[in-house]
Amino acid sequence: MTISTIGRRIRLGLIGGGPGSIIGETHRIAARVDGHYDIVAGALSSDPERARQAALNLGIEHERAYPSWQQMIEEEVARPDRIDVVAVMTPNDSHHAICMMALDKGFHVICDKPLANDLAQAREIAARVEATNAEFCVTYCYSGFPMVRQARDMVRAGELGEIRQVHLQYVQSYLAAHDLPAGWRTESGRAGRSLVLMDIGTHAFHLGAYVTGLDVTRVCADVGSAIPGRTIDDYVSALLRYENGARGSLWVTNAAAGSEHGLSFRIHGDKGGLEWHQEEPNRLIHRRHDGFEQIITRRLGPTMSEGAQRSTRIAIGHPEGYLEAFANLYTEFAERVAGRISEGERDDRPTLFPGVSDGVKGLAFVDASVKSMAAGAWQDVERA
């Protein structure tokens, strides 16, 4: 990966992700990997004392270890060394309020997925991003894997031809036990209209759209639980129809006993297909309709696509994985924000990292899937 010189380090303020949060530590590692960020402020918990102590434990100065996210945003605005970016890693039901306030106060935002708790909130955030002209990233982190970007570039170069089928899976065992684990995800309303769709379903949905460049226009979904008597959604299977007429499927569950992570795609055009499994992230399988199977590995060199080369760090092929993929999004966002700081104008060129429109599309898919289940019929997916 070519790590650019961006002029100065980006000042980062953290909201959420405190003690006990897996995703919080992931965000912090991602911010540090390429050395573009200084974590200078934080409100890491909804409990004021825990929020302060967690920030102090990270080495944040006492005056910038805030008891609440509201106080952090208000006080940072007035500082001459104010933060540049707010990173949001709180439960889903708080994303809307935090993002809206951060945008109104002039900050750029990195928000953990899903963008909001429902489609209406997601659209409000997108409208505010447009009005404030801010930079915004939604951390659909699997789009940062080099072999995912290799696949994306190959599709765009026409190596698969016209896309005809897209099949997506994300199969975990996190909720396979009858007793639900404690935490906000299993509290009514906090995770959104469907736990499984909001938690991991939007990841699988985004992966298909990211690689193919195609939007899903219609969905027929079976959403519910694979555990008898459970009222929280832990299973979805869906038939998909893409904007070019391609057909697809999505199978997502976090209640498949014995599974580990199980995120994968198989994409087929009229010239061949691509297959990728996140449990073996450095291998991409390319099958040509009229040729041999090819295994493409993550190895920096001229045979890799531009997107894949940009996203890999180690030339001789040592394994890279989840944390590096997450870091790719943070680094690309830092470059974008640094350009805004130095140039003062927004760069309208497409980004490799997912933006606010990707977040809106994810919530539109969730909305259509839930409606499809209720109606027992195909449902149109609203456009972002």
Side-chain angles (χ1 to χ4, degrees), residues 59-288:
I60 293 173
E61 295 178 0
H62 187 272
E63 63 177 359
R64 302 178 86 170
Y66 295 100
S68 71
W69 62 264
Q70 295 94 333
Q71 185 173 337
M72 186 188 94
I73 292 174
E74 288 287 1
E75 293 194 12
E76 284 295 317
V77 169
R79 294 182 64 98
D81 59 347
R82 57 177 278 174
I83 55 177
D84 305 302
V85 173
V86 170
V88 182
M89 54 207 81
T90 58
N92 300 352
D93 59 341
S94 61
H95 288 186
H96 176 264
I98 297 170
C99 290
M100 294 292 276
M101 184 175 179
L103 292 166
D104 284 342
K105 297 299 183 180
F107 296 112
H108 305 292
V109 177
I110 297 172
C111 183
D112 203 58
K113 65 81 217 161
L115 175 58
N117 227 29
D118 58 44
L119 180 56
Q121 289 183 349
R123 285 182 167 149
E124 287 183 4
I125 295 172
R128 196 61 54 87
V129 170
E130 183 67 25
T132 58
N133 201 31
E135 299 292 347
F136 200 101
C137 174
V138 180
T139 55
Y140 286 120
C141 54
Y142 303 106
S143 63
F145 277 98
M147 290 296 96
V148 169
R149 293 179 171 186
Q150 175 77 28
R152 172 186 170 100
D153 288 344
M154 291 174 69
V155 169
R156 280 157 177 71
E159 295 193 42
L160 269 60
E162 179 72 16
I163 299 301
R164 291 178 172 173
Q165 296 187 52
V166 181
H167 301 289
L168 310 166
Q169 295 185 1
Y170 201 164
V171 185
Q172 296 180 339
S173 62
Y174 171 62
L175 297 179
H178 281 271
D179 295 332
L180 289 169
W184 62 266
R185 286 178 177 82
T186 56
E187 295 177 17
S188 178
R190 299 203 70 187
R193 298 182 69 183
S194 166
L195 185 153
V196 69
L197 281 165
M198 299 287 276
D199 194 33
I200 60 176
T202 53
H203 268 308
F205 166 79
H206 178 261
L207 194 62
Y210 186 82
V211 173
T212 66
L214 298 172
D215 288 332
V216 172
T217 57
R218 304 191 74 206
V219 60
C220 183
D222 175 20
V223 184
S225 176
I227 308 297
R230 178 177 288 176
T231 58
I232 290 176
D233 296 339
D234 57 34
Y235 171 93
V236 58
S237 60
L239 301 177
L240 311 176
R241 191 67 58 81
Y242 284 82
E243 60 183 315
N244 71 335
R247 285 171 161 81
S249 67
L250 178 142
W251 171 38
V252 173
T253 179
N254 41 27
S259 294
E260 292 187 7
H261 202 254
L263 176 64
S264 66
F265 64 72
R266 294 187 71 168
I267 298 169
H268 296 269
D270 58 11
K271 296 181 180 179
L274 290 169
E275 182 175 342
W276 180 80
H277 297 264
Q278 196 265 330
E279 291 176 349
E280 296 182 340
N282 297 294
R283 299 172 73 250
L284 176 67
I285 303 171
H286 181 204
R287 298 184 176 97
R288 294 180 175 87

Side-chain angles (χ1 to χ4, degrees), residues 6 10 108 135-136 330-341 345-353:
I6 65 171
I10 302 300
H108 305 292
E135 299 292 347
F136 200 101
Y330 262 85
T331 290
E332 290 156 5
F333 194 73
E335 293 169 351
R336 192 83 166 196
V337 169
R340 289 290 300 278
I341 292 170
E345 296 181 359
R346 187 170 186 170
D347 185 349
D348 291 327
R349 290 176 296 178
T351 63
L352 279 173
F353 63 80

Side-chain angles (χ1 to χ4, degrees), residues 322-378:
Y322 178 70
L323 294 174
E324 291 87 351
F326 219 111
N328 285 337
L329 306 191
Y330 262 85
T331 290
E332 290 156 5
F333 194 73
E335 293 169 351
R336 192 83 166 196
V337 169
R340 289 290 300 278
I341 292 170
S342 62
E343 302 295 333
E345 296 181 359
R346 187 170 186 170
D347 185 349
D348 291 327
R349 290 176 296 178
T351 63
L352 279 173
F353 63 80
V356 71
S357 66
D358 296 283
V360 176
K361 289 177 182 179
L363 270 298
F365 174 71
V366 172
D367 185 69
S369 297
V370 172
K371 289 179 179 177
S372 172
M373 179 62 190
W378 284 87

Side-chain angles (χ1 to χ4, degrees), residues 3-4 6 8-10 31-32 34-38 331 334-335:
I3 308 301
S4 62
I6 65 171
R8 73 163 174 83
R9 291 161 72 93
I10 302 300
R32 294 176 177 129
D34 293 322
H36 287 327
Y37 292 88
D38 287 322
T331 290
E335 293 169 351

